[in-house]
Every structure is written in structure tokens, then in C-alpha cells.
Amino acid sequence: MTYEKKKCWSVLLRLYHWAFALSIVALVTTGLFINTPWTNTLQYDTWSVTWMRYIHFVSGYVFTAAVLTRIFLYIFGNAQERITDALPITGRNIRNFGRTLLHYSYISSEHDDRLGHNVIAGLTYLVTIIAAVFMMISGFYLLFPETAAWQGWGTAIFSSQQNARFIHHLLMWWFMIFALIHIYLVLWNDLTEPEGLVSSIFTGDKFKHKKV
């Protein structure tokens, strides 16, 4: 069987992916430490919480830039990166949703020869970006409670800082679970399909069946 290399992901999408992934690792690690420090900060004058908070804040800005970049690409990205490719609003996408569901359930071996994400993956990423927006707003509300703008937005959405803190912590578990499932499915797809999914997030290229 013959394959041809096709450009799938733009440089901006790949930069977003790695900024998003690495910032999540840093935010989860430092966030867990800030919530429950696992070193005795009174016994060892290392300023560990101070450093963890600083890394958390810097990572938060990287996370915010990544999310805003992805929202930009949902509107102005290439055909595979736009939001319309992730929504089951066309016949092609609705059929892909059904086939992918059967494929992931091991009920069918049929797999759409699709350049971008399948619709289930696309919808999951969209939900994750929506969760990321709430993560951003709650984070900045906790960081700048005295700022009029963030106080207004934060109070309107979360009603109190305690609610914002709880939702912020709860959403962290979404990102942790999402990351584990994402890595599993990406590796599973790379082992069962010849499209080169893992390498595509580095090179931007995928391999598709060549039509003769």
C-alpha cells in the first residue's frame, strides 16, 4: 500500500500544543504543592512555597497564551484546525462520529481516512479549551481579587473566591484525567494506524493512503 505525506498541523498549532502540555504539567505539580506542601517550610528556609507560587503564576500566563492561540486557530487556522472540523454539524462529521465510536469500542475496524482529528477527539479538545477558559478566569480572579475587572468577572461567574478556588481545583482533575486518556489514545492510534500521529505534532505532517 502506498502512502503520501500531507501537511496537517501549522507551526502555531504545534507551538500551542507543547506550550499547553508543558504548562499543564507545571501548573498541576506546583498547584498540588501550593495546596498541600510536602516539605517543612518552617524548618528549611528554602522559600519553597514562594518559588512554587512564582512558577505557578508564570506557567499560568503561558497556559493563557496557549489557550488564546487555540481559540485564534479555531477561527483562523487551516481546515483541520478550525472549529467546524470538530463539530458534528455536517454529514461527513456525523458519519465520522459514529464510525469512530464503533472503532474505539472495538466493535468495528473501519477507520475514516481523515487528515485532521476525528470528531470525538475534536469535541473532547473543544470541551478542554472551554474548561481552560474557566480555569484561566478562576486563576486570575484568585490572583488579582482586588482588581475591579477580575473582581467583577469572578463574582459574576463564581459568586465568591471560595467557589472559584473549588472549581479551579476541580478542573485540575479534568486536565489530569484528560492528559492520561489523551496519551493512551495517541499511542494506541500510532501503533494501530500508519498515519504517524505522534510524529505529526513535531513535524506537522501525516501519512495518508495515496489514491491511485
Side-chain angles (χ1 to χ4, degrees):
M1 191 174 291
T2 307
Y3 296 90
E4 59 182 340
K5 185 165 68 174
K6 288 190 175 183
K7 179 61 68 176
C8 183
W9 310 123
S10 65
V11 173
L12 195 56
L13 187 283
R14 284 175 277 153
L15 288 173
Y16 142 76
H17 174 274
W18 291 112
F20 191 62
L22 295 175
S23 64
I24 287 173
V25 172
L27 286 165
V28 168
T29 304
T30 55
L32 288 171
F33 184 89
I34 292 166
N35 183 66
T36 310
W38 54 77
T39 61
N40 190 330
T41 57
L42 296 178
Q43 183 177 353
Y44 305 104
D45 189 16
T46 58
W47 299 91
S48 54
V49 174
T50 303
W51 277 108
M52 287 293 183
R53 282 170 59 85
Y54 176 74
I55 295 169
H56 195 78
F57 298 156
V58 172
S59 301
Y61 282 106
V62 175
F63 180 85
T64 300
V67 172
L68 293 177
T69 300
R70 189 63 186 100
I71 293 172
F72 172 84
L73 290 171
Y74 271 138
I75 303 169
F76 301 107
N78 64 32
Q80 296 77 242
E81 297 165 354
R82 295 192 181 192
I83 194 170
T84 50
D85 200 54
L87 299 176
I89 55 176
T90 64
R92 170 178 174 266
N93 285 1
I94 292 171
R95 288 190 297 273
N96 177 263
F97 182 88
R99 289 170 182 165
T100 304
L101 193 61
L102 293 173
H103 187 59
Y104 281 176
S105 304
Y106 294 97
I107 296 173
S108 171
S109 59
E110 187 178 1
H111 178 68
D112 272 357
D113 194 25
R114 187 181 176 98
L115 186 59
H117 294 306
N118 64 63
V119 175
I120 291 179
L123 285 173
T124 304
Y125 299 147
L126 179 59
V127 169
T128 301
I129 291 298
I130 293 171
V133 170
F134 282 94
M135 194 68 147
M136 285 163 41
I137 296 172
S138 61
F140 282 115
Y141 177 42
L142 294 170
L143 181 59
F144 300 114
E146 73 285 351
T147 305
W150 285 114
Q151 189 178 60
W153 278 99
T155 304
I157 296 172
F158 306 108
S159 77
S160 70
Q161 276 217 317
Q162 185 58 39
N163 286 339
R165 190 179 304 277
F166 176 72
I167 292 171
H168 196 74
H169 184 81
L170 200 63
L171 286 172
M172 177 194 70
W173 289 98
W174 166 264
F175 287 102
M176 291 172 66
I177 294 167
F178 163 79
L180 290 174
I181 296 173
H182 173 69
I183 292 169
Y184 165 74
L185 287 175
V186 164
L187 293 176
W188 175 79
N189 184 281
D190 210 58
L191 291 171
T192 58
E193 301 295 334
E195 61 184 9
L197 185 60
V198 172
S199 63
S200 71
I201 204 60
F202 294 97
T203 65
D205 299 323
K206 279 189 175 183
F207 296 91
K208 309 307 292 182
H209 294 129
K210 189 174 183 180
K211 296 179 181 179
V212 181

